[in-house]
Amino acid sequence: MKRDFLSVSDFSKEEVIEIIRYGIELKRNKFKDRTISGKSIGLIFMKQSTRTRLSFEVGVYQMGGQPIYISGSSTQMSRGEDIKDTARVMSRYLDGIVIRTFSHKEVQDLARYSSIPVINALTDYLHPCQVMADLMTMYERFGTLKGKKVTYIGDGNNMANTWLIACGLMGIDISIATPEGYEPNGKAVLEAVELAKKSGAKIELTIDPLEAARSADVLYTDVWVSMGQEGDKDKKKVFEGYSINEKVLSEAKDRCIVMHCLPAHKGEEITEDIFERYSDIIFDQAENRLHIQKAIMSFLFRNL
Ligand code: CP
Ligand code: NVA
């Protein structure tokens, strides 16, 4: 049966580790996996992208497949053709769909009505490909995910939601500091709490960035204004203080790493100095998008 990848929790904890290890293997041997050789993968983008588009296009090519970039605005989807019909048409031509859009429900519906695997390349709710690349980067740096604490400071957005669910699944402690009113999505919190009952992850939500950063192994942040929210002019004022700065860094463990999914607004969610100091890790995260997405595609298409 086909499987989709809409959330990190679509995989088990063991599958996530298996995919991370395979991503590390593919990093060393980029043409090793030919699982999607001869297959056509549609890449639908309703929002802008640098990393996701490029890493999927290159990744599909390296695996012997054909990537087809589909700008959302050029399709009948943007003129209201319903998702159920789009899914059924695309399933007749393509072997897989990667989609970046606004509504998470739209991606769920696309997966439901498609007979081919669907991969979530970011919605307003989740960005699972990014967090898989981030987990791979942590695994490379620390050799394990066990016993680690991730601190996320900033907007309770798609990245924060995805981190909550991923940490709940993997048994990683997580502390999230956001201003009041900008907490992560309640559904993601509930799912994370449920997953944490099994994995033992500690989950903390706070409005205090210093408290959140205490003893962190990873300090993580993302833009204050996500794609689609550009009209919210007052948002940035509320977020002053919710940055990775020297004070926050001093609360974390001595050997902590600083991560960012990019694009970054230096001087807002992270200081330029700290961004540059940890740029090796930050650009490893970007590179690892390519390797982990290939490992994810290999996993989803292997048994079809
Ligand atoms: N991090 C990330 O998804 O980057 P893009 O928006 O450039 O794809
Ligand atoms: N939260 C950001 C992530 C970009 C990769 C956004 O949705 O725009």
Side-chain angles (χ1 to χ4, degrees):
M1 208 182 82
K2 73 126 177 173
R3 283 179 71 177
D4 305 297
F5 178 58
L6 309 192
S7 170
V8 176
S9 60
D10 287 338
F11 295 140
S12 67
K13 181 177 173 177
E14 293 70 31
E15 287 171 341
V16 169
I17 295 290
E18 178 192 329
I19 291 167
I20 288 173
R21 290 194 179 132
Y22 192 50
I24 293 172
E25 213 176 309
L26 292 179
K27 191 170 183 171
R28 287 194 291 262
N29 188 355
K30 67 178 173 182
F31 293 113
K32 174 190 159 93
D33 192 295
R34 308 292 285 177
T35 307
I36 56 169
S37 174
K39 295 194 189 298
S40 299
I41 310 296
L43 312 175
I44 306 172
F45 282 81
M46 300 289 192
K47 288 177 172 174
Q48 296 94 327
S49 170
T50 299
R51 282 145 286 269
T52 308
R53 175 184 175 173
L54 275 171
S55 54
F56 269 110
E57 287 209 37
V58 172
V60 170
Y61 163 76
Q62 288 180 356
M63 294 171 82
Q66 176 198 27
I68 304 175
Y69 176 74
I70 306 160
S71 156
S73 59
S74 70
T75 65
Q76 299 287 4
M77 290 168 85
S78 66
R79 294 184 60 246
E81 182 167 14
D82 77 28
I83 211 74
K84 193 171 170 181
D85 294 351
T86 304
R88 288 183 289 182
V89 168
M90 289 193 172
S91 298
R92 303 275 179 126
Y93 304 137
L94 298 169
D95 300 288
I97 301 173
V98 173
I99 179 166
R100 165 171 288 195
T101 191
F102 296 85
S103 150
H104 193 70
K105 164 118 188 359
E106 205 170 293
V107 177
Q108 287 173 320
D109 288 345
L110 187 70
R112 181 164 167 215
Y113 295 112
S114 296
S115 56
I116 54 177
V118 172
I119 296 176
N120 176 5
L122 180 146
T123 63
D124 289 345
Y125 181 50
L126 295 177
H127 193 6
C129 291
Q130 180 65 53
V131 170
M132 287 294 287
D134 300 337
L135 291 172
M136 172 176 161
T137 311
M138 279 174 69
Y139 194 88
E140 283 178 322
R141 293 276 164 169
F142 298 125
T144 181
L145 300 177
K146 263 193 213 129
K148 299 297 168 202
K149 175 183 172 181
V150 171
T151 292
Y152 177 99
I153 295 172
D155 188 22
N157 59 15
N158 44 11
M159 286 306 308
N161 296 335
T162 313
W163 266 115
L164 270 171
I165 292 171
C167 288
L169 178 74
M170 301 308 291
I172 299 168
D173 293 342
I174 181 159
S175 187
I176 296 197
T178 64
E180 240 174 299
Y182 291 89
E183 294 84 4
N185 186 296
K187 206 169 135 232
V189 178
L190 283 181
E191 184 179 351
V193 168
E194 218 31 62
L195 288 164
K197 284 182 190 160
K198 188 169 168 219
S199 70
K202 273 195 232 115
I203 292 172
E204 179 187 54
L205 302 182
T206 172
I207 55 163
D208 182 351
L210 295 179
E211 183 192 320
R214 215 149 288 152
S215 307
D217 296 283
V218 174
L219 289 179
Y220 202 101
T221 191
D222 180 21
V223 290
W224 291 339
V225 178
S226 285
M227 287 181 278
Q229 300 179 338
E230 290 80 2
D232 194 350
K233 296 263 179 283
D234 296 330
K235 200 172 174 195
K236 284 188 183 170
K237 271 199 210 100
V238 182
F239 277 84
E240 271 162 34
Y242 287 86
S243 327
I244 298 188
N245 53 34
E246 297 299 342
K247 219 164 153 205
V248 165
L249 190 57
S250 70
E251 294 290 335
K253 283 200 183 132
D254 288 342
R255 300 191 59 189
C256 102
I257 59 175
V258 175
M259 299 177 87
H260 195 304
C261 57
L262 300 174
H265 287 116
K266 293 162 226 173
E268 292 185 5
E269 75 274 5
I270 188 165
T271 66
E272 179 145 15
D273 266 8
I274 296 179
F275 182 91
E276 290 304 334
R277 210 178 308 154
Y278 290 91
S279 56
D280 276 355
I281 293 165
I282 292 169
F283 292 102
D284 274 354
Q285 290 175 255
E287 178 185 337
N288 287 341
R289 293 292 303 277
L290 170 64
H291 311 301
I292 203 73
Q293 286 160 194
K294 286 170 67 184
I296 292 167
M297 286 189 282
S298 178
F299 183 87
L300 295 180
F301 288 89
R302 206 171 289 162
N303 298 317
L304 291 181

